[in-house]
Amino acid sequence: MKLPLSDNLVAAMQKDTGSGDVSPSHVGRVRHRRRPNETATDGNRANGTVLLVSDQNKYKSMLIRTYSSLWMIGGFVFVVYMGHLYIWAMVVVIQIFMATELFNLLRRSSEEKQLPGFRLLNWHFFFTAMLFTYGRFLSRELVNTVTSDHLLYKLVSGLIKYQMFICYFLYIAGFVWFILTLKKKTYNYQFKQYAWTHMILLTVFAQSSFTVANIFEGMFWFLLPASLIVINDIAAYLFGFFLGRTPLIKLSPKKTWEGFIGASVTTIISAFLVGKRNGSFSVVNLPKKGPVDRMAYL
């Protein structure tokens, strides 16, 4: 009995290879039925990631998050209790971490090896911008802090008096430093880093200057948005933990519409309650003053 042409080809291929595997291009695509457990697993996934409501280890994760949240909230309350200068120091620390991440985005190790010390130039511009931005906010605070030491008082007063000149001198020194570090075959990379550094400084210090101004003009305008961020984050996690089943965005697969809507409603309600509560404390609403001026509030 003669076999069809296609069957002859398959038989010949099996004989040559010694196996029963046949290329799909010759005999067509093989269809596999999906097993029941695979269907159930994919039903609990969103973009390849298991949703929080379906995560088997969600209670363990919730316990870890609860501990870490309590520690962070406790640390934040302690910093607020210590006063305005400590809150400003916290903002500076956060800025340093932000700048570190942003500086590393466009770094290339091959070029960095040819430019020793070039990374220090970024931080030179960073601290120059910090002195320029925060000098006018901290001038009164530093003077009131060092009034007991005559020598230190004169030093701080001189720094405040010539703050703009010092910032101008530091920036020009940084620019000259940049010119002196230019090397052939790395011009493109160096000028990109120079422009990227200035964009980072504009992004980081433009918004933080308003934050620091709010801190010293009345802690209420800093505590209210910070408290709402904490409430929004906690509410989004809890609503997503118990009710989340509809994925929100592909960028963060575990975020859900239930968590987003629940957190939005909770934050709006909390804004009125927290704002009314904080508004009753004079120490939160009043601007930061010196020791003598503060006695007038008591």
Side-chain angles (χ1 to χ4, degrees):
M1 181 177 180
K2 292 185 177 181
L3 295 175
L5 180 59
S6 58
D7 293 340
N8 288 332
L9 290 175
V10 172
M13 292 177 62
Q14 290 179 349
K15 184 177 180 180
D16 292 339
T17 58
S19 64
D21 297 333
V22 181
S23 175
S25 61
H26 294 283
V27 296
R29 186 173 298 173
V30 180
R31 296 184 180 180
H32 296 281
R33 285 189 177 183
R34 183 171 296 191
R35 297 177 181 177
N37 57 349
E38 293 178 356
T39 305
T41 303
D42 291 344
N44 292 329
R45 289 177 177 268
N47 299 324
T49 304
V50 179
L51 291 175
L52 191 58
V53 71
S54 305
D55 192 355
Q56 296 179 356
N57 299 322
K58 65 177 184 178
Y59 288 102
K60 181 180 179 181
S61 175
M62 183 181 185
L63 187 62
I64 296 174
R65 285 174 177 265
T66 301
Y67 284 144
S68 60
S69 298
L70 290 176
W71 277 104
M72 287 189 291
I73 293 174
F76 179 74
V77 172
F78 176 75
V79 171
V80 171
Y81 173 78
M82 293 300 294
H84 297 71
L85 284 175
Y86 290 87
I87 300 176
W88 167 77
M90 180 185 67
V91 173
V92 171
V93 172
I94 294 173
Q95 283 184 328
I96 292 175
F97 282 106
M98 289 175 57
T100 302
E101 293 293 330
L102 293 173
F103 284 147
N104 291 330
L105 283 179
L106 293 184
R107 288 197 191 281
R108 286 183 290 187
S109 57
S110 58
E111 281 79 0
E112 291 287 339
K113 292 180 181 178
Q114 303 178 23
L115 303 168
F118 187 73
R119 182 174 297 186
L120 295 176
L121 185 61
N122 295 335
W123 291 109
H124 172 83
F125 284 118
F126 178 84
F127 288 107
T128 301
M130 182 182 295
L131 178 63
F132 174 78
T133 305
Y134 297 143
R136 57 193 181 96
F137 295 123
L138 299 177
S139 58
R140 183 186 299 174
E141 303 303 323
L142 291 176
V143 170
N144 291 327
T145 303
V146 300
T147 49
S148 58
D149 192 325
H150 181 68
L151 179 62
L152 190 59
Y153 177 80
K154 291 182 63 176
L155 177 62
V156 172
S157 299
L159 290 175
I160 294 172
K161 182 178 180 181
Y162 299 104
Q163 177 211 357
M164 296 299 294
F165 174 77
I166 294 173
C167 292
Y168 176 77
F169 173 79
L170 290 175
Y171 183 83
I172 295 299
F175 181 76
V176 174
W177 183 1
F178 169 74
I179 297 299
L180 294 177
T181 58
L182 289 175
K183 290 186 177 181
K184 292 182 178 180
K185 298 182 181 181
T186 59
Y187 290 156
N188 189 23
Y189 175 76
Q190 287 182 282
F191 276 101
K192 281 184 178 179
Q193 287 291 323
Y194 185 77
W196 180 243
T197 300
H198 284 71
M199 290 300 298
I200 292 173
L201 299 180
L202 180 62
T203 303
V204 172
F205 286 102
Q207 57 178 337
S208 63
S209 62
F210 295 107
T211 302
V212 174
N214 289 335
I215 292 173
F216 289 104
E217 291 300 325
M219 206 182 298
F220 172 83
W221 304 109
F222 171 77
L223 289 179
L224 179 60
S227 302
L228 294 180
I229 291 172
V230 174
I231 292 172
N232 181 273
D233 191 48
I234 295 175
Y237 179 77
L238 292 178
F239 277 98
F241 186 88
F242 293 105
L243 304 175
R245 285 176 175 81
T246 309
L248 180 61
I249 54 176
K250 294 181 179 180
L251 182 63
S252 184
K254 289 191 177 183
K255 295 191 183 301
T256 60
W257 276 103
E258 291 81 3
F260 173 74
I261 296 173
S264 300
V265 175
T266 304
T267 304
I268 293 173
I269 296 174
S270 301
F272 293 97
L273 300 178
V274 175
K276 184 177 181 180
R277 179 64 176 172
N278 289 344
S280 61
F281 297 104
S282 60
V283 69
V284 174
N285 294 324
L286 295 172
K288 180 74 168 67
K289 300 293 182 180
V292 178
D293 297 331
R294 200 176 301 168
M295 294 299 296
Y297 298 148
L298 301 179

